[in-house]
Amino acid sequence: MRKLYTTKSFCVFAVCTTLAFSIFLPTPAIAQVAGASLSGTVNDTSGGPIPNAEVSIENLATGVTRATTTDKVGYYTAPNLLPGPYEVSISAPGFATQIQRGITLTVGGQQVLNFTMRVGTVSEKVEVTAELPTVQLTSSDISAVVDSRTIRELPLNGRSWTDLAILQPGVSRVETAFRAAAGTDRGERGFGTQLSISGGKPVQNNYRLDGISVNDYANGGPGNVLGAALGVDSIQEFSVITSNYSSEYGRTSGGVINAITRSGTNDFHGSAFEFLRNSALDARNFFDVDPTTGQPQRSPFRRNQFGGSAGGPIQKDSTFIFGNYEGLRQAKGVAQAVPVPSNAARNGTLYTVPQSSCAGVFSPPTGACQVTVDPAAAKYLAFWPQAPASAQPACPGSSCSDVAQFGFAGQQVLNEDFFTTRVDHRFSTHDSLFGTFFYDTNGYSGSDPLNQVLSGHHIDRKAFIVEETHLFTPTLVNSLRFGYNNVNASDNKGISAVNPQAADKSFASTPGQNAARVSVAGIQNFNGGVGSIDFFKNDYKSFQVYDDAFLTRGVHSVKFGVAVERLHNGITAFGNPAGNWIFGSLQNFLTNVPDNFSSALSSATARNVRQTIFGLYVQDDWRFRSNLTLNIGLRYEMATVPSEENGKFSSLHQLTDAKPFCGTSDSFCAGVAPLFSNATLRNFEPRIGLSWDPFRDGKTAIRAGFGMFDVLPLPYMFAFLQYRPSPFYNLGAVSN
């Protein structure tokens, strides 16, 4: 059992894709903080280093400037810069000032920019306008950036920015079809896009927004019921790390998707949009036919996405704000054809029952078995709609059947509203602060296969992030970040009755409930009245604190930090609340001879799961040679054993014989002891990598790495085991 919770992923030279030639694929590296880093050397024309040169790095969008100096070997570094356009100015006594324009820093990127200065006076200026090289020369990470232009200008069906992740090598979508109507399956796996990165499971990925984790209760990514993550206009850019990430990254053994929100600038910018999809504008799907007549038809469909964004200065060069709103309204018709009892069967006349099995009067001339329909079954027949005369089987005859086809076009309706606000403020040249808040609410409803009950999903997502960056010295920078992530989701909950009898408690098999579920072989199952089907509720909260420090000492760029995350998840599972009848045949149903009945004997109660994740890391990017950087790091990360605040986790302590449950002997007894012994206390994760520029021209990089990555035992792993464990939940069943 212990190995289950200490699963490790290994990334080595020969196994992972660690040898990469960046002349074919630009791959900027990523840091745990969302900011970018700029570093390089300042030399004279003979190649000698220029110490104490003043480096001024100005964000052209906001006017904010970061100042630093070169050390004794002419090296400078500026970590945690806001992604965007920059201008760098280098000045030193006896040399002409050099200004580099056309610099664009990306989310978490570690960019190298070297300078060669010529002799002259400080008043002389040498201006250079050129794009930075796209080859990453300082990190062994295998990653790629999706920039703001790509995010906003590529056509996206549903405007989901996470869909762009599959453009990167090693990333594939696990599920391509929308299956929101398939019961609880979608919600149990999380509603976000299911991505496999470098062959890993979707639950092994970590989604980060402005430096905090925004995974949901199932450890999936952000998204609405359709699997789409709205807010394209609020995302500045994002990156995807597929392998070999450094010790800064924890909580994941798969890939990392790292996004940053847009910030305001010194110029006011705004936009508004409306996207429309409508069945009147669409061609008919080849397989789209009327479920009753079989004739071609175009199912109704309407989708409107609208909204706008705006950003600008509150105080020029100091305080900025950006806001975004997006709304989604969708109604989609889904043609369905389901088997229901024929009109003859409703009256007790069955043509496909052998004489030896007939429970009534068998008529040899017609081959019909006439049974007496039980009053309880006759009452429940109201939940199977009658098929039209054209869909009734011709009996007696070669195509005779007891089943007819009922067709209808069900409506899947989705409404969503998404908000984002970000504020940036610079207190001084040494202190800056930003805060981000987003809120996403969306609800989905759709009818069951018999069009009796509307059920659906509802998701509320919200997050708040605040980060303060302080420059103690030009070579020591600290970033302190707080985050709160909340996902409140109800999965497959009954909403209202299409057929009023689905909310009539006189149909109840379990006191206080509506009609029970009924499963009958050969016809479409009835999922029960309102609230009768299995549904789940999750109230997931994550409280996060990070502190990351950046220290430069000669050829060493050292990063170290700590991360603490407290997880709260309130889980409530309603399983079989109204009961479930199972009939082996249509005849048994009409005569009320069930095979089995089961029902919950106690009401569902919440499981309030608690867990803490703690991480500590150190990372040294060592410029071993001017064209060779070694990335050496170590991370320690542990997670406490998940617990339930009211002691409602059930664990089987011992099992030596079949003695009574919790009787005089404790050899077979369930209780509330810890679920398992905590093996994560030994989770030490070394990371080693290199980046080599063999030709010293900045155009080719060879990278390689090795790392160990732990799969933490997070609450989602135990959800199905602890929703309804004995002795806190009881289910009764009777078989005939």
Side-chain angles (χ1 to χ4, degrees):
M1 291 296 291
R2 178 167 295 181
K3 288 187 177 179
L4 174 64
Y5 306 114
T6 59
T7 304
K8 290 181 181 287
S9 299
F10 294 89
C11 194
V12 296
F13 289 87
V15 178
C16 298
T17 311
T18 59
L19 187 61
F21 293 88
S22 296
I23 53 176
F24 303 115
L25 177 64
T27 53
I30 317 301
Q32 177 169 306
V33 291
S37 296
L38 182 65
S39 62
T41 57
V42 179
N43 297 322
D44 58 25
T45 53
S46 66
I50 302 178
N52 300 318
E54 296 181 359
V55 183
S56 177
I57 305 169
E58 180 183 1
N59 187 317
L60 298 179
T62 63
V64 175
T65 300
R66 174 80 66 85
T68 186
T69 58
T70 60
D71 59 17
K72 62 182 180 181
V73 295
Y75 182 73
Y76 75 93
T77 182
N80 204 22
L81 297 168
L82 181 69
Y86 279 85
E87 176 182 292
V88 178
S89 174
I90 308 290
S91 61
F95 294 91
T97 299
Q98 186 166 328
I99 300 174
Q100 174 82 50
R101 305 184 191 277
I103 301 170
T104 301
L105 300 182
T106 58
V107 52
Q110 293 180 337
Q111 188 62 59
V112 174
L113 181 60
N114 298 323
F115 291 88
T116 300
M117 303 183 67
R118 66 177 179 83
V119 176
T121 63
V122 177
S123 59
E124 293 181 74
K125 293 184 179 180
V126 178
E127 295 188 6
V128 180
T129 302
E131 293 185 358
L132 290 178
T134 56
V135 177
Q136 172 56 38
L137 303 174
T138 62
S139 175
S140 58
D141 292 345
I142 305 299
S143 58
V145 171
V146 181
D147 59 32
S148 57
R149 181 177 180 182
T150 301
I151 293 173
R152 286 188 283 276
E153 294 187 7
L154 278 183
L156 291 170
N157 183 13
R159 287 174 52 80
S160 173
W161 62 269
T162 54
D163 286 352
L164 294 171
I166 62 176
L167 299 177
Q168 314 309 321
V171 182
S172 60
R173 190 196 300 269
V174 174
E175 182 186 40
T176 58
F178 169 51
R179 299 179 56 200
T184 61
D185 176 63
R186 177 84 188 188
E188 289 171 356
R189 294 177 293 111
F191 289 98
T193 302
Q194 299 283 303
L195 298 177
S196 174
I197 299 179
S198 295
K201 296 181 179 180
V203 293
Q204 293 177 257
N205 302 327
N206 192 13
Y207 293 79
R208 305 181 68 87
L209 180 69
D210 285 345
I212 76 161
S213 175
V214 290
N215 286 31
D216 65 9
Y217 57 89
N219 213 38
N224 60 15
V225 174
L226 299 176
L230 297 192
V232 163
D233 295 88
S234 66
I235 299 297
Q236 174 68 24
E237 57 191 24
F238 73 94
S239 58
V240 183
I241 310 179
T242 57
S243 63
N244 288 349
Y245 37 87
S246 67
S247 61
E248 300 154 87
Y249 286 98
R251 206 186 188 276
T252 175
S253 59
V256 179
I257 296 179
N258 198 17
I260 185 171
T261 54
R262 292 176 67 184
S263 63
T265 65
N266 274 330
D267 298 319
F268 178 83
H269 293 281
S271 65
F273 63 88
E274 163 81 29
F275 291 88
L276 168 68
R277 283 190 61 191
N278 195 297
S279 53
L281 307 174
D282 294 343
R284 183 185 70 85
N285 187 310
F286 178 80
F287 300 100
D288 214 354
V289 297
D290 185 287
T292 303
T293 65
Q295 297 300 311
Q297 74 167 14
R298 184 184 297 160
S299 294
F301 178 70
R302 173 182 55 81
R303 176 189 289 171
N304 292 83
Q305 283 184 267
F306 51 90
S309 61
I314 297 176
Q315 183 178 353
K316 192 173 182 180
D317 295 338
S318 178
T319 308
F320 313 93
I321 189 170
F322 178 84
N324 173 68
Y325 165 76
E326 184 168 359
L328 171 63
R329 305 292 184 267
Q330 175 173 305
K332 181 180 181 180
V334 179
Q336 299 191 58
V338 295
V340 297
S342 66
N343 288 343
R346 290 170 181 271
N347 294 320
T349 304
L350 303 171
Y351 289 95
T352 62
V353 177
Q355 182 174 357
S356 60
S357 302
C358 180
V361 178
F362 190 81
S363 176
T366 61
C369 173
Q370 185 68 46
V371 300
T372 300
V373 180
D374 186 90
K379 183 178 180 180
Y380 257 79
L381 275 171
F383 295 117
W384 280 268
Q386 287 185 267
S390 59
Q392 294 292 332
C395 292
S398 59
S399 60
C400 182
S401 173
D402 297 327
V403 175
Q405 294 295 314
F406 169 72
F408 72 100
Q411 284 287 309
Q412 295 179 347
V413 179
L414 175 71
N415 295 321
E416 181 172 12
D417 294 290
F418 179 92
F419 306 86
T420 300
T421 301
R422 172 169 173 149
V423 176
D424 293 76
H425 178 69
R426 184 180 67 157
F427 295 98
S428 67
T429 57
H430 292 85
D431 283 286
S432 62
L433 180 77
F434 81 82
T436 303
F437 173 78
F438 81 80
Y439 176 66
D440 180 20
T441 179
N442 63 96
Y444 161 88
S445 65
S447 60
D448 68 281
L450 292 172
N451 200 27
Q452 301 296 298
V453 174
L454 285 178
S455 60
H457 319 284
H458 188 88
I459 312 169
D460 284 334
R461 296 190 306 121
K462 62 179 74 74
F464 177 74
I465 307 108
V466 60
E467 177 181 296
E468 193 270 346
T469 300
H470 181 76
L471 279 71
F472 291 96
T473 68
T475 59
L476 179 60
V477 180
N478 189 79
S479 174
L480 179 62
R481 185 167 59 261
F482 299 91
Y484 169 74
N485 176 39
N486 174 227
V487 181
N488 196 308
S490 64
D491 179 17
N492 209 44
K493 184 178 181 180
I495 299 174
S496 62
V498 179
N499 179 351
Q501 292 173 310
D504 185 347
K505 296 191 182 303
S506 67
F507 285 83
S509 298
T510 301
Q513 297 289 334
N514 292 315
R517 289 185 288 178
V518 181
S519 301
V520 182
I523 63 173
Q524 176 63 47
N525 296 334
F526 169 54
N527 289 336
V530 178
S532 298
I533 197 170
D534 292 355
F535 68 95
F536 304 96
K537 293 169 61 178
N538 284 271
D539 185 11
Y540 174 83
K541 299 181 179 70
S542 172
F543 305 88
Q544 305 172 41
V545 180
Y546 303 86
D547 191 74
D548 301 279
F550 307 81
L551 177 64
T552 303
R553 284 291 183 267
V555 295
H556 296 273
S557 296
V558 181
K559 288 168 278 187
F560 51 93
V562 61
V564 180
E565 182 175 2
R566 178 66 173 173
L567 301 178
H568 290 193
N569 192 16
I571 311 168
T572 308
F574 299 84
N576 210 359
N580 183 29
W581 296 96
I582 299 177
F583 295 87
S585 66
L586 182 57
Q587 179 185 210
N588 286 355
F589 168 64
L590 295 174
T591 57
N592 198 9
V593 182
D595 292 351
N596 180 272
F597 174 75
S598 60
S599 180
L601 300 179
S602 58
S603 59
T605 57
R607 300 292 183 268
N608 296 306
V609 185
R610 303 292 184 258
Q611 186 179 40
T612 301
I613 304 172
F614 175 79
L616 187 69
Y617 76 91
V618 60
Q619 177 76 26
D620 183 9
D621 296 328
W622 179 16
R623 293 176 60 251
F624 186 72
R625 293 288 185 270
S626 60
N627 65 332
L628 175 62
T629 300
L630 302 180
N631 310 121
I632 304 171
L634 177 65
R635 185 177 187 88
Y636 171 76
E637 186 168 52
M638 59 80 66
T640 60
V641 177
S643 61
E644 207 283 328
E645 68 173 4
N646 296 311
K648 290 184 179 179
F649 269 0
S650 182
S651 178
L652 187 62
H653 298 176
Q654 302 176 45
L655 181 57
T656 57
D657 51 37
K659 294 183 179 180
F661 177 82
C662 288
T664 56
S665 172
D666 64 352
S667 58
F668 178 65
C669 181
V672 293
L675 295 177
F676 53 88
S677 60
N678 193 349
T680 69
L681 299 175
R682 299 187 296 273
N683 280 0
F684 290 94
E685 305 168 355
R687 315 281 172 87
I688 303 173
L690 64 86
S691 180
W692 178 39
D693 178 5
F695 306 115
R696 298 179 181 270
D697 57 4
K699 296 181 179 180
T700 304
I702 298 177
R703 294 188 297 277
F706 164 86
M708 298 177 65
F709 310 88
D710 284 284
V711 181
L712 295 176
L714 300 179
Y716 76 93
M717 295 182 177
F718 310 97
F720 293 108
L721 303 176
Q722 297 296 340
Y723 276 153
R724 298 184 289 268
S726 178
F728 306 112
Y729 179 86
N730 294 307
L731 180 72
V734 179
S735 296
N736 182 8

